[in-house]
């Protein structure tokens, strides 16, 4: 399992939450006061980690949501082949290929260490 349950009231800006089965980083949380017969609600605005799409949801503050387990790891660049890079994880020595984002094209060189995110079976380069 690559996520855990947490109540909406426990979430904070800068942390992560699953929205539509997509891990997202929380940009803002606004809570409303409870009504006469209702309960307080929270509006969460977040950006997807992998697709960078903006999402917003409204939940009661007692509602349980999925919080993805985000793992920040180090890897070494083995080769760069066009838009893909072959990397080796520096902890497990596993080799894998990843697409290179536009912001990192031209910055990756063989032998250089990078940082990447691993969440819900997917990877993304965060720092070169």
């Amino acid at each position: 399992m690559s996520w855990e349950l947490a109540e909406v009231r426990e979430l904070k800006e800068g942390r992560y939450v699953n929205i539509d089965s997509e891990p997202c980083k929380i940009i803002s949380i606004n809570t409303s006061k409870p009504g006469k017969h209702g309960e307080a609600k929270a509006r969460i605005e977040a950006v997807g980690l992998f697709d960078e799409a903006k999402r917003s949801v409204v939940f009661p503050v007692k509602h349980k949501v999925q919080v993805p387990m985000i793992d920040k790891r180090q890897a070494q660049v083995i080769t760069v082949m066009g838009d893909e890079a072959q990397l080796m994880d520096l902890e497990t020595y596993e080799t894998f290929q990843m697409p290179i984002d536009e912001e990192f094209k031209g910055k990756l060189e063989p032998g250089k260490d990078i940082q990447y995110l691993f969440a819900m079976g997917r990877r993304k380069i965060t720092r070169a």
Side-chain angles (χ1 to χ4, degrees):
M1 179 163 64
S2 58
W3 52 265
E4 58 185 15
L5 287 176
E7 284 190 3
V8 172
R9 74 175 88 205
E10 299 169 2
L11 299 177
K12 293 185 169 75
E13 291 180 14
R15 301 256 174 101
Y16 302 97
V17 66
N18 275 351
I19 300 176
D20 302 328
S21 297
E22 181 72 28
C24 300
K25 185 172 187 171
I26 298 172
I27 298 172
S28 69
I29 298 177
N30 298 319
T31 51
S32 63
K33 293 182 179 178
K36 187 174 181 182
H37 299 290
E39 58 182 301
K41 295 201 176 24
R43 178 183 187 83
I44 302 170
E45 293 190 18
V47 175
L49 285 180
F50 298 106
D51 60 2
E52 296 179 8
K54 193 170 185 179
R55 296 175 169 83
S56 93
V57 291
V58 177
F59 290 124
V61 293
K62 293 182 181 177
H63 185 75
K64 297 218 183 243
V65 292
Q66 294 177 355
V67 177
M69 305 301 277
I70 306 292
D71 200 6
K72 294 179 183 175
R73 298 183 180 178
Q74 298 285 327
Q76 185 177 34
V77 179
I78 297 174
T79 59
V80 178
M81 304 161 289
D83 292 346
E84 287 198 343
Q86 185 175 16
L87 306 170
M88 178 181 68
D89 189 294
L90 293 177
E91 213 172 287
T92 63
Y93 303 109
E94 168 193 9
T95 59
F96 53 90
Q97 288 188 351
M98 285 179 57
I100 303 171
D101 291 341
E102 289 295 322
E103 63 182 297
F104 298 114
K105 286 189 178 173
K107 294 182 181 178
L108 298 183
E109 302 168 4
K112 191 174 181 183
D113 290 352
I114 58 123
Q115 184 179 37
Y116 71 98
L117 288 179
F118 182 72
M120 299 185 66
R122 294 162 55 186
R123 297 178 174 100
K124 179 183 179 182
I125 298 173
T126 55
R127 190 169 6 135

